[in-house]
Amino acid sequence: MLLRYFYDEKLAHASYLVGCQKTGEAIVIDPSRNLAPYFQVAKAEGVSIVAATETHIHADFVSGARELGAVYQAKLFLSNEGDEDWKYQYLEGLNHQLVHDGDRFFIGNLLFEVMHTPGHTPESISFLLTDLGGHADRPIGIFTGDFVFVGDIGRPDLLEKAAGIKGTSDSGARDMFQSLQKFKQLPDYMQVWPAHGAGSACGKALGAVPSSTVGYEKLFNWAMSHTNEEEFVHALLDGQPEPPKYFAVMKRVNKEGPALLKELPVVQEFNSLEPVEDFLENGQILDTRPFQQFAKGYLAGTLHIPFNKSFANWAGWIVDYNRAVHVLATPDELNEILQALHSVGIDNVGSFIDSGKLMEREASSLETIDEVTPLEIAERVEKGELHVVDVRNLTEWNEGHIRDAQHIMLGTLTMRLDEIPHDKPLLVQCRSGARSAIGASILKANGFKDVMNLSGGILKWQIDGLALADRG
């Protein structure tokens, strides 16, 4: 048996290639939209990808299942559990098999058994894997998707908070409680292979270890200790992070079927400012440079989302999916940037602008954002001369914040601009200064003139011995 693990740090997404070396057949589990890594490994290991499956209709990334089925003729094994609202709608003409609890299918000599594990979503399933080719008569492990993570479990509130389906948080939590009773009956030796790691918004306390065992999770996963359903429901729903607003888009895209990559528009390159006014009026420009470069000179009206491991997440939060996107970046990063945008369903990328060439030519017409340190700005904050906007998550805010600051989580900033006063200079602040830099660009792009970014964030504020508001 062949088992390979793939991890996308930008999305904290784990996927797997499982192959039968005796027959040369392989399946991809919870595939990302970028299929190249799977085919590279399959070629190196001498197996062919003949099938794909996923544990549920994902909300945090665009699945590669349709691409594998439509372009590479892989057979799709997909859930037919849950209600009518969560059935796959793109399967006509594709080789596929809808599966239910207790169903079994083979990839070569590898046996996959389906276990319905609702809670995170109604259609969620897990796969128990037995290597019959290796003469095993019991499963070696379970692919849990967003059901059981290392140290955590899938959140049940996404359908309500992100997709707007009322009343599903409580019912999902109760389904999760029942699903966990099934999980607890599995042998301790079985390995656990989840679909996400630390940093994913599909849970609230995911571990950074890539895999675990059933026995270890029974001992140390907080959710396994609960035996009372009411207490479990309260504990599971309490403290869940804000779900990115693009999760609703991903649910729809993965249910209806994402566009095939060959159908996406060709990205054109521009080397002048001539089309920029039109880009800003009819679309949006993403400046992907590091903030230190952006702050020293940028095109008025552009949004700053630096290309790092958080890029895809913040792009999904901030980008308007209904307007064309134009990317300002270095040429050597363009393909990776497009890949990241496509991974969260931002497909309408119209053009690319070489940031190096453009910045050299247009330096005199650029705007800037001031960065200030806590010690430089604290007196003005204390006197009330500035309005502080804290863009951290709610849990961070509750742990301590600058006195009289206004809390607006970064991902919701574009929707709450009318709550921010125009009569004072603005100081945008987060934990370290990275998220607030994005927030400062959003405010500047939306007409706020005097905007500063707090360098070092609240961490530096505390290091410098400056006071926070009393908690509570």
Side-chain angles (χ1 to χ4, degrees):
M1 185 183 78
L2 171 72
L3 174 62
R4 290 290 182 269
Y5 171 80
F6 301 81
Y7 194 71
D8 183 343
E9 287 190 344
K10 295 182 179 65
L11 297 167
H13 164 226
S15 55
Y16 305 85
L17 176 76
V18 188
C20 175
Q21 291 161 309
K22 289 187 177 180
T23 66
E25 298 168 289
I27 185 172
V28 183
I29 298 174
D30 287 325
S32 69
R33 200 176 192 184
N34 176 26
L35 302 177
Y38 309 121
F39 284 103
Q40 289 168 1
V41 171
K43 182 178 180 180
E45 298 290 346
V47 296
S48 298
I49 297 174
V50 300
T53 187
E54 55 188 26
T55 50
H56 63 294
I57 300 173
H58 292 280
D60 53 318
F61 67 94
V62 177
S63 167
R66 185 190 176 215
E67 190 90 11
L68 279 166
V71 178
Y72 298 97
Q73 289 74 55
K75 183 174 182 178
L76 304 182
F77 295 91
L78 299 172
S79 175
N80 200 32
E81 294 285 2
D83 57 38
E84 291 303 315
D85 288 332
W86 297 107
K87 302 296 185 185
Y88 291 90
Q89 298 177 0
Y90 63 82
L91 299 177
E92 185 176 354
L94 299 183
N95 184 13
H96 70 278
Q97 179 180 331
L98 296 175
V99 297
H100 303 81
D101 185 60
D103 284 352
R104 301 158 55 140
F105 62 89
F106 289 86
I107 302 298
N109 295 310
L110 304 178
L111 169 63
F112 290 82
E113 298 178 82
V114 179
M115 185 167 81
H116 185 209
T117 50
H120 177 64
T121 63
E123 81 286 356
S124 175
I125 54 177
S126 299
F127 300 101
L128 286 74
L129 170 62
T130 303
D131 181 13
L132 297 179
H135 307 294
D137 62 356
R138 62 196 70 184
I140 182 177
I142 180 172
F143 295 96
T144 53
D146 291 17
F147 167 39
V148 173
F149 301 121
V150 178
D152 200 5
I153 57 174
R155 59 190 298 178
D157 59 328
L158 289 180
L159 294 183
E160 182 161 348
K161 291 181 179 177
I165 304 177
K166 301 296 183 184
T168 52
S169 294
D170 184 81
S171 61
R174 297 181 188 281
D175 286 343
M176 180 64 79
F177 182 80
Q178 297 303 321
S179 293
L180 288 177
Q181 309 318 304
K182 296 165 66 174
F183 180 86
K184 292 176 183 178
Q185 300 306 309
L186 298 174
D188 288 356
Y189 68 81
M190 281 181 56
Q191 297 182 54
V192 174
W193 301 301
H196 292 293
S200 170
C202 291
K204 57 182 174 180
L206 282 71
V209 179
S211 63
S212 184
T213 64
V214 170
Y216 191 87
E217 293 309 306
K218 288 180 188 177
L219 288 172
F220 300 112
N221 189 315
W222 70 268
M224 305 293 171
S225 64
H226 285 277
T227 57
N228 179 279
E229 183 172 325
E230 295 301 325
E231 293 177 357
F232 170 83
V233 169
H234 175 76
L236 179 55
L237 295 178
D238 182 53
Q240 289 290 356
E242 299 91 337
K245 65 179 183 179
Y246 74 90
F247 275 22
V249 177
M250 294 299 92
K251 271 290 185 184
R252 175 184 56 77
V253 165
N254 286 324
K255 180 173 72 170
E256 298 176 358
L260 301 178
L261 293 176
K262 65 182 180 182
E263 299 172 348
L264 301 186
V266 176
V267 177
Q268 303 179 56
E269 180 176 357
F270 289 90
N271 288 314
S272 76
L273 278 177
E274 290 182 10
V276 165
E277 187 175 332
D278 180 66
F279 289 169
L280 291 173
E281 183 176 347
N282 299 301
Q284 53 211 312
I285 297 177
L286 297 186
D287 190 324
T288 63
R289 296 173 298 153
F291 180 69
Q292 289 71 23
Q293 295 178 24
F294 176 85
K296 292 177 181 177
Y298 70 92
L299 297 171
T302 58
L303 296 174
H304 166 64
I305 307 178
F307 185 58
N308 53 32
K309 71 177 186 178
S310 300
F311 174 78
N313 175 63
W314 291 123
W317 268 107
I318 294 165
V319 166
D320 184 343
Y321 278 71
N322 297 314
R323 302 172 70 207
V325 176
H326 308 278
V327 176
L328 184 68
T330 58
D332 60 330
E333 290 183 327
L334 178 61
N335 286 338
E336 285 187 77
I337 289 171
L338 292 176
Q339 206 171 87
L341 292 172
H342 294 161
S343 74
V344 291
I346 300 174
D347 289 347
N348 56 341
V349 181
S351 67
F352 155 66
I353 306 170
D354 186 331
S355 58
K357 292 180 181 178
L358 195 58
M359 293 304 108
E360 288 174 7
R361 295 181 183 184
E362 309 297 341
S364 63
S365 61
L366 302 179
E367 292 200 5
T368 61
I369 293 179
D370 290 333
E371 277 205 287
V372 294
T373 67
L375 291 178
E376 289 172 336
I377 207 69
E379 185 176 348
R380 295 185 66 190
V381 172
E382 184 67 26
K383 291 180 177 179
E385 296 175 3
L386 305 174
H387 183 74
V388 180
V389 180
D390 185 330
V391 298
R392 295 176 300 158
N393 296 331
L394 180 60
T395 52
E396 295 175 288
W397 164 266
N398 289 336
E399 289 171 358
H401 50 269
I402 295 173
R403 188 176 293 109
D404 297 326
Q406 177 183 21
H407 177 240
I408 302 180
M409 185 265 181
L410 176 59
T412 66
L413 186 58
T414 57
M415 298 175 280
R416 299 178 60 186
L417 294 170
D418 59 350
E419 299 176 29
I420 302 172
H422 284 263
D423 60 346
K424 290 182 180 180
L426 301 178
L427 178 66
V428 193
Q429 165 258 313
C430 66
R431 179 177 181 272
S432 66
R435 283 171 287 174
S436 55
I438 299 174
S441 82
I442 293 173
L443 294 172
K444 292 278 280 189
N446 284 277
F448 292 87
K449 301 298 184 183
D450 196 349
V451 180
M452 291 167 281
N453 182 50
L454 184 64
S455 178
I458 202 165
L459 289 180
K460 189 66 168 65
W461 185 275
Q462 292 175 284
I463 289 170
D464 288 343
L466 300 171
L468 297 179
D470 294 333
R471 296 182 186 183

